Amino acid sequence: MLIYTARRILYTLPIMLGVALVCFALVHISPGDPLVSVLPPDASEELRLRMMQIYGFDRSYVEQFLIWLGRALQGDLGNSIATGRPVAAEVWGAVGNTLMLAVVATIIGFTLGCLFGFVAGYFRDTWIDKLASFISVIGVSVPHYWLGMVLVIIFSVQLNWLPATGAGPGGSSAWVWDWEHVRHLILPAVTMSVIPMGIVARTVRALVADILSQEFVSGLRAKGLLDRGVLAHVIKNAAPTALAVMGLQLGYLLGGSILIETVFSWPGTGFLLGQAIFQRDLPLLQGTILVLALFFVVLNLLVDVVQTALDPRVQRS
Amino acid sequence: MSKPPLVEVEDLTVRFKGARDVYAVNGVSFTLDEGEVLTILGESGSGKSVTLKTLLRLLPENRTDIGGKVRVGGEDVLAMQGRKLADHRGGTVSMIFQDPMLALDPVYTIGEQIAEAVIRHEKVSSKAAMARALEMLERVRIPSAARRLKAYPHEMSGGMRQRAMIALALACKPKLLLADEPTTALDATVQIQILLLLRELQQEFGMSVIFVTHDIGVAVEVSDRIAVMYAGAFVETGTTREIIREAKHPYTHGLLAANLVGAKPGQRLDAIPGAPPALETRPTSCAFAPRCKHAMDICRAKLPPIRRWHDRRWVSCVLAAEEHASA
Ligand SMILES: Nc1ncnc2c1ncn2[C@@H]1O[C@H](COP(=O)(O)OP(=O)(O)OP(=O)(O)O)[C@@H](O)[C@H]1O
Ligand code: SF4
Ligand SMILES: [Mg+2]
């Protein structure tokens, strides 16, 4: 298992390098002058050249890439063109917020999804199944930014129970575990959890129905197991796949939350990406995408390793 | 007074409800004494597995209509509910399935699966249960049993898996073992080993066995008595000797002709022309008539009469009844 994990990690190294290369190339394939947002429109040619030198844009691409990579490895992603602050700091702050939102949403979605999926699969083709499946279909098909707005209208505007935007009181973006902050988390997390809930529910329903139709379930009953004993077997059989789906959903939520973060002004990576794009802040864009992509790679690695550890049928050699 | 039989099945009927009904079992009756081995012999689809599953109540409850009486050890199996049913399953009666790869849970080790049954029925510690599992694996002669305890089903060969399945079925010392074609999925040489093992364990444990097969060679190998099944009903029963030497039913003759000449385990019954009937309705005449070369009008008009020498030797066919009348 250890060897497997080590090799799996080794395999991700070239992927990570590729990711870094693509992120770097982004700056150079995107049209327009990267300095346009920092320089005044009437800047002299001399000033432009000096800025080019400061940002290193005058060197060859290979040199630039190696320098950039070397710095990135040390945690230096350059400075934001718009704010002048270090990109790494901005991205890390945002990553923390996004991670928090995505993890909480995944936990909610996974728990509810497993519950609905399990019940639906266990009572397949009864009204309980139909109800649970209906809920999960809604979960997958409702546009979540729309759901977000509806929730805001109900719980913030009408009932005034929960705040509509931000990650904490007074727009602070430093997270603390207290009620004031958790209040801010509820609406975006619930909105976001709807998609993984639907997908997990569908997967788990199909899994459970499939497992229950297998002959070994007859075998379990034939040796006298009660319902809860059979249930334990069903769960252990379903777990590797269900967890893998959860891991991938977490990955999607980490990268795909621009809409929700924008609706709720949640200061995460999606929000940051939006800003970087609209302000043509290339170092920031580059850094954010790099970190997000690496996240995805690492998450895939984790999913693989966990699934292998849980499922004895997967070859470990 | 002699001991009452361990198993008493009386006029058992099983119908699957659905878009199309299936009359899978149509009036099966038999008794089985302690320590006896009965083989149910018949082609694919004749209702052998369904009969066995009824003894453990393994059929999908909401889609099946079960009629008649099934008693094991004096207990009414069809009336059992909840914990009582669960105690019956695996405790009094256990089952070996045709394909152990499908019948074992792929994500639990062999040891865990055996120990689980022991814990369930004997309320012992998991350590004691594992010790029993190991003992059972040794009893079925799995080499390096201690290591196999931690193996998953897919890590074993077909023969080993079936041995493990037998170990599991016998772990709680059942009074009755149901064996549903336990060797069909195996190579010929492995088949014989498993059959020998089963017969040896049956004698050692003194349990009763109902063995299901479509292979008359296998039936001869293992059984005291044979019941020949066709279209959901027994058509002839007798001791193994009676069935081989003095078969009366044309279907039994057909099976014998197809297999007994140079009978080897593993041969399929395929020499009787035609196919068994679809069981969408309950037969009202001899179900074998379309394939029977002796068929007469009366065979197609009503159910054939039963000629009964005694309780355990009878045949249901017009020919046998006529022979009796003219004798
Ligand atoms: N769960 C079920 N639902 C509906 N029909 C069933 C079910 N189980 C069995 N049947 C039908 O009942 C009939 C008898 O099946 P059974 O499995 O007892 O045959 P068998 O004699 O064991 O044959 P084989 O040698 O192929 O195992 C078949 O027509 C089968 O299609
Ligand atoms: S009853 Fe008639 S058709 Fe049926 S087996 Fe006997 S002779 Fe053949
Ligand atoms: Mg069968």
Side-chain angles (χ1 to χ4, degrees):
Chain A
M1 191 67 213
L2 218 64
I3 297 173
Y4 170 82
T5 311
R7 197 167 49 213
R8 214 40 205 78
I9 291 176
L10 215 64
Y11 285 160
T12 57
L13 288 182
I15 302 178
M16 291 193 178
L17 195 69
V19 165
L21 195 63
V22 169
C23 287
F24 173 79
L26 264 181
V27 181
H28 300 279
I29 43 179
S30 55
D33 187 337
L35 292 179
V36 75
S37 53
V38 267
L39 287 174
D42 55 350
S44 66
E45 184 61 21
E46 192 191 346
L47 180 62
R48 211 181 71 82
L49 283 178
R50 263 209 34 220
M51 290 302 278
M52 291 273 281
Q53 237 170 3
I54 290 174
Y55 283 97
F57 291 143
D58 56 339
R59 304 186 192 221
S60 80
Y61 288 157
V62 178
E63 253 181 299
Q64 282 191 44
F65 177 64
L66 290 179
I67 292 171
W68 177 77
L69 189 66
R71 286 194 186 143
L73 282 177
Q74 295 163 33
D76 176 8
L77 294 171
N79 290 330
S80 157
I81 291 180
T83 63
R85 286 209 299 253
V87 168
E90 300 245 350
V91 174
W92 273 121
V95 161
N97 288 329
T98 291
L99 202 60
M100 157 86 57
L101 183 59
V103 167
V104 172
T106 308
I107 291 174
I108 299 175
F110 184 69
T111 313
L112 291 179
C114 281
L115 199 72
F116 285 135
F118 218 96
V119 168
Y122 204 81
F123 299 99
R124 194 156 59 123
D125 298 330
T126 63
W127 65 269
I128 301 177
D129 173 22
K130 300 218 169 79
L131 183 69
S133 301
F134 180 69
I135 294 174
S136 57
V137 166
I138 290 185
V140 187
S141 40
V142 156
H144 49 323
Y145 51 89
W146 176 84
L147 179 70
M149 289 190 276
V150 170
L151 288 180
V152 165
I153 291 173
I154 297 174
F155 291 99
S156 305
V157 181
Q158 300 288 335
L159 296 172
N160 205 9
W161 285 352
L162 295 167
T165 60
S172 85
S173 60
W175 181 263
V176 198
W177 275 111
D178 62 16
W179 174 233
E180 263 316 306
H181 285 80
V182 172
R183 261 161 58 88
H184 283 78
L185 184 60
I186 294 176
L187 282 186
V190 167
T191 308
M192 209 181 212
S193 72
V194 165
I195 289 183
M197 182 200 80
I199 290 177
V200 169
R202 279 207 303 207
T203 314
V204 169
R205 175 187 184 271
L207 265 177
V208 168
D210 173 58
I211 291 167
L212 285 177
S213 73
Q214 289 180 34
E215 192 173 279
F216 79 79
V217 176
S218 281
L220 295 176
R221 297 207 185 280
K223 68 181 182 185
L225 291 198
L226 299 164
D227 280 346
R228 60 169 184 272
V230 174
L231 215 63
H233 281 259
V234 174
I235 290 173
K236 190 160 177 195
N237 272 273
T241 314
L243 286 178
V245 170
M246 181 185 86
L248 292 178
Q249 285 307 306
L250 181 61
Y252 291 132
L253 292 195
L254 283 178
S257 53
I258 296 188
L259 286 175
I260 289 187
E261 290 189 357
T262 307
V263 167
F264 291 99
S265 303
W266 183 266
T269 48
F271 197 59
L272 200 63
L273 264 184
Q275 276 181 333
I277 291 167
F278 289 120
Q279 297 175 351
R280 290 195 57 74
D281 193 339
L282 284 173
L284 186 60
L285 189 61
Q286 209 176 27
T288 315
I289 293 177
L290 177 68
V291 171
L292 282 182
L294 291 186
F295 247 156
F296 213 87
V297 173
V298 170
L299 204 76
N300 265 308
L301 174 73
L302 272 178
V303 167
D304 254 24
V305 170
V306 170
Q307 195 176 18
T308 310
L310 284 183
D311 193 336
R313 286 166 300 187
V314 178
Q315 281 292 330
R316 282 165 204 168
S317 52
Chain B
M1 220 183 96
S2 66
K3 255 182 139 180
L6 177 67
V7 184
E8 298 163 274
V9 173
E10 219 180 296
D11 197 24
L12 176 69
T13 55
V14 178
R15 178 173 64 100
F16 293 104
K17 297 175 283 190
R20 279 196 186 160
D21 285 3
V22 179
Y23 288 77
V25 177
N26 304 305
V28 161
S29 304
F30 66 93
T31 58
L32 183 68
D33 288 332
E34 274 177 29
E36 236 184 346
V37 181
L38 169 72
T39 291
I40 302 178
L41 178 68
E43 279 170 307
S44 193
S46 53
K48 306 181 299 287
S49 299
V50 173
T51 308
L52 281 197
K53 284 183 181 160
T54 315
L55 285 164
L56 276 176
R57 290 266 306 282
L58 284 177
L59 298 170
E61 211 121 286
N62 46 0
R63 292 194 298 112
T64 38
D65 255 351
I66 304 181
K69 278 191 196 134
V70 177
R71 304 176 81 77
V72 175
E75 303 268 5
D76 182 353
V77 173
L78 298 185
M80 286 180 181
Q81 288 300 330
R83 190 169 278 270
K84 181 150 194 212
L85 178 60
D87 286 343
H88 168 78
R89 292 168 169 168
T92 315
V93 182
S94 67
M95 183 150 171
I96 312 176
F97 292 81
Q98 175 169 345
D99 188 343
M101 188 65 205
L102 300 177
L104 292 167
D105 186 330
V107 304
Y108 281 68
T109 63
I110 297 297
E112 285 166 351
Q113 303 196 44
I114 299 177
E116 189 176 35
V118 177
I119 293 172
R120 167 66 189 79
H121 289 287
E122 300 182 8
K123 321 246 170 337
V124 296
S125 72
S126 58
K127 215 174 142 205
M130 266 304 173
R132 168 77 65 79
L134 178 61
E135 184 197 323
M136 289 311 300
L137 289 190
E138 281 164 355
R139 283 294 269 281
V140 299
R141 289 200 294 276
I142 289 185
S144 43
R147 202 159 47 83
R148 293 298 180 181
L149 216 49
K150 297 189 194 71
Y152 291 93
H154 72 272
E155 294 169 339
M156 304 172 95
S157 69
M160 285 303 149
R161 275 197 292 268
Q162 195 56 290
R163 283 172 194 266
M165 182 95 230
I166 294 171
L168 166 61
L170 299 188
C172 299
K173 309 238 175 340
K175 290 207 177 84
L176 172 64
L177 176 69
L178 308 176
D180 191 354
E181 311 203 29
T183 60
T184 317
L186 305 174
D187 296 340
T189 46
V190 183
Q191 280 196 24
I192 295 167
Q193 292 170 7
I194 297 284
L195 287 180
L196 291 176
L197 175 70
L198 271 176
R199 196 161 64 177
E200 181 189 315
L201 291 171
Q202 182 265 328
Q203 276 157 12
E204 209 175 299
F205 283 69
M207 62 193 168
S208 312
V209 176
I210 302 180
F211 200 96
V212 155
T213 182
H214 50 231
D215 185 331
I216 204 166
V218 168
V220 170
E221 202 69 46
V222 296
S223 39
D224 302 321
R225 289 162 52 210
I226 295 179
V228 181
M229 192 163 191
Y230 190 77
F234 286 180
V235 294
E236 177 164 14
T237 68
T239 61
T240 304
R241 196 187 161 85
E242 284 163 341
I243 295 293
I244 294 171
R245 298 272 170 87
E246 310 153 17
K248 298 289 181 198
H249 198 282
Y251 181 59
T252 317
H253 282 298
L255 295 184
L256 287 167
N259 277 268
L260 209 58
V261 191
K264 276 196 241 90
Q267 277 182 351
R268 287 220 148 221
L269 306 180
D270 47 12
I272 306 172
L279 293 166
E280 281 164 35
T281 54
R282 193 175 165 160
T284 53
S285 58
C286 178
F288 189 58
R291 299 167 74 186
C292 179
K293 49 182 188 237
H294 310 289
M296 296 162 274
D297 287 343
I298 188 167
C299 305
R300 299 186 193 92
K302 56 178 189 176
L303 285 173
I306 290 176
R307 177 171 174 198
R308 196 183 294 268
W309 288 265
H310 55 85
D311 207 26
R312 297 180 164 196
R313 173 69 182 130
W314 54 264
V315 57
S316 128
C317 172
V318 172
L319 285 183
E322 277 178 355
E323 179 192 293
H324 181 58
S326 63

